[in-house]
């Protein structure tokens, strides 16, 4: 990833206000509350709202992002809630996660650059144990129609960075599909996710 990409996220996370709020994503919250807590990884975790929630309900939390500003905000949020998370800054290939280290991986609006998003998914899933869970919510390719009407809903503006059901099936082939759908939802997450959008939601259990 180039410096422009890193600078963009550092700039977004540098203000005092939380870009996407401090409450967890609704879909993530709903899914985590169904599972017994274990170890969980949050890729592209930004300011930490989802990681902090998971730690509050008993998960052992690891997270990473390319943004040092995101980490700073996440650790402040964790401290304010009297919990601890392991948060690293860097690109995935520079971090030392281990095969089958985690019981769950939560990809919540983890929109990596289009050229590398599938390879990142395939690397990440090697860190998941058998019977572990992927929990995924991100904007679908149809989302561009919603962005054209309301740019406050947020999300990438290029179709290649958005997701399809077929891409998720291809990136995570050896999973029991618990949920996989494209859905219109209403977002109300901080400054940058507001209004109707189209998302892909996926919950899979590793075979």
């Amino acid at each position: 990833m180039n410096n422009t990409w890193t600078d963009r996220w550092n700039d977004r996370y540098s203000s005092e206000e939380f870009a996407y709020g401090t409450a967890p994503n609704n879909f993530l919250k709903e899914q985590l509350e169904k599972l017994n807590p274990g170890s969980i990884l949050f890729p592209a975790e930004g300011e930490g709202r989802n990681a902090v929630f998971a730690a509050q309900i008993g998960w052992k939390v690891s997270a990473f992002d390319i943004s040092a500003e995101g980490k700073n905000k996440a650790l402040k949020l964790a401290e304010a809630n009297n919990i601890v998370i392991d948060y690293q800054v860097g690109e995935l290939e520079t971090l030392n996660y281990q095969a089958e280290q985690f019981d769950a991986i939560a990809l919540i609006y983890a929109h990596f650059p289009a050229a590398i998003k599938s390879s990142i998914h395939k690397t990440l899933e090697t860190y998941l144990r058998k019977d572990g869970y992927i929990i995924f919510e991100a904007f679908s390719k149809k989302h561009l129609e919603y962005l054209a009407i309301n740019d406050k809903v947020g999300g990438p503006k290029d179709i290649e960075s958005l997701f399809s059901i077929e891409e998720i099936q291809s990136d995570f082939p050896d999973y029991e599909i618990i949920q996989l759908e494209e859905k219109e939802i209403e977002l109300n997450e901080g400054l940058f996710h507001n209004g109707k959008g189209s998302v892909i939601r996926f919950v899979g259990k590793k075979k």
Side-chain angles (χ1 to χ4, degrees), residues 28 37 44 89-91 110 115 127-128 140 149 152 154 167-168 175-176 197:
L28 174 81
V89 174
E91 297 183 26
Y127 303 149
L128 189 65
S140 79
I149 297 165
K152 289 184 171 61
E167 282 177 328
I168 297 304
Y175 285 74
E176 174 192 341

Side-chain angles (χ1 to χ4, degrees), residues 12 34 50 57 60 65 68 103 111 171 174 181-182:
R12 175 157 292 187
K34 296 176 184 177
N50 296 310
I57 62 168
K60 180 184 177 184
D65 202 283
D103 299 302
H111 286 275
D171 287 355
D174 298 316
E181 62 178 346
E182 184 171 12

Side-chain angles (χ1 to χ4, degrees), residues 29-88:
K29 181 176 186 289
E30 177 187 302
Q31 298 306 316
L32 284 187
E33 287 174 343
K34 296 176 184 177
L35 302 177
N36 293 321
S39 58
I40 187 168
L41 177 63
F42 287 88
E45 174 53 6
E47 298 166 316
R49 64 193 177 106
N50 296 310
V52 166
F53 169 75
Q56 286 176 307
I57 62 168
W59 289 81
K60 180 184 177 184
V61 174
S62 298
F64 73 89
D65 202 283
I66 55 168
S67 170
E69 294 287 353
K71 177 183 178 178
N72 292 340
K73 296 273 278 293
L75 294 184
K76 282 180 189 171
L77 186 62
E79 186 179 2
N81 286 278
N82 298 309
I83 53 93
V84 174
I85 58 175
D86 172 56
Y87 196 122
Q88 298 186 50

Side-chain angles (χ1 to χ4, degrees), residues 86-140:
D86 172 56
Y87 196 122
Q88 298 186 50
V89 174
E91 297 183 26
L92 183 57
E93 62 270 19
T94 70
L95 307 176
N96 295 314
Y97 299 119
Q98 303 300 311
E100 301 184 359
Q101 182 176 344
F102 297 103
D103 299 302
I105 296 175
L107 288 151
I108 305 299
Y109 297 99
H111 286 275
F112 298 101
I116 61 171
K117 64 180 187 175
S118 282
S119 65
I120 286 179
H121 283 172
K122 287 169 182 175
T123 299
L124 284 171
E125 73 98 23
T126 67
Y127 303 149
L128 189 65
R129 295 182 183 129
K130 183 178 181 294
D131 295 327
Y133 292 86
I134 296 281
I135 302 168
F136 177 100
E137 180 176 284
F139 291 116
S140 79

